[in-house]
Amino acid sequence: MVIVDGNALAGALAEVLGPEPTVIELRCAGCDRLGAVGLTTVYRTAMGSVARCRACDTVLVTVVESGEQCWVGLPGARTMVSALLR
Ligand SMILES: [Zn+2]
């Protein structure tokens, strides 16, 4: 085992997020369904956006833009997966 800081994840995170993040697939913690971000149901308000699972309505992604920062939460996504861009 090697212990390093979070910068070691840069390559993997860049690979997963990639240039088209809507094709990333999220595993729903509520129903175990695997589906693309682009196929979720998104509710937008002035405060931010919430993406819900189409199968069980679990909140998968939250996005809040505040000033010059963007806060992204994945409260109901167990994992995320995308094809490697190699
Ligand atoms: Zn679900």
Side-chain angles (χ1 to χ4, degrees):
M1 177 187 298
V2 176
I3 300 173
V4 295
D5 67 22
N7 290 307
L9 300 177
L13 288 173
E15 287 273 4
V16 169
L17 298 175
E20 185 48 74
T22 57
V23 300
I24 294 170
E25 292 186 308
L26 302 175
R27 173 78 64 192
C28 177
C31 69
D32 209 39
R33 179 173 183 255
L34 186 64
V37 169
L39 297 178
T40 61
T41 302
V42 176
Y43 300 85
R44 302 185 92 172
T45 70
M47 295 176 58
S49 299
V50 171
R52 292 182 174 271
C53 173
R54 286 201 177 182
C56 74
D57 216 33
T58 290
V59 175
L60 298 170
V61 182
T62 59
V63 178
V64 175
E65 293 182 26
S66 176
E68 295 188 9
Q69 294 179 315
C70 182
W71 298 81
V72 177
L74 301 168
R78 187 173 294 141
T79 58
M80 65 169 57
V81 61
S82 75
L84 295 176
L85 304 172
R86 296 178 184 152

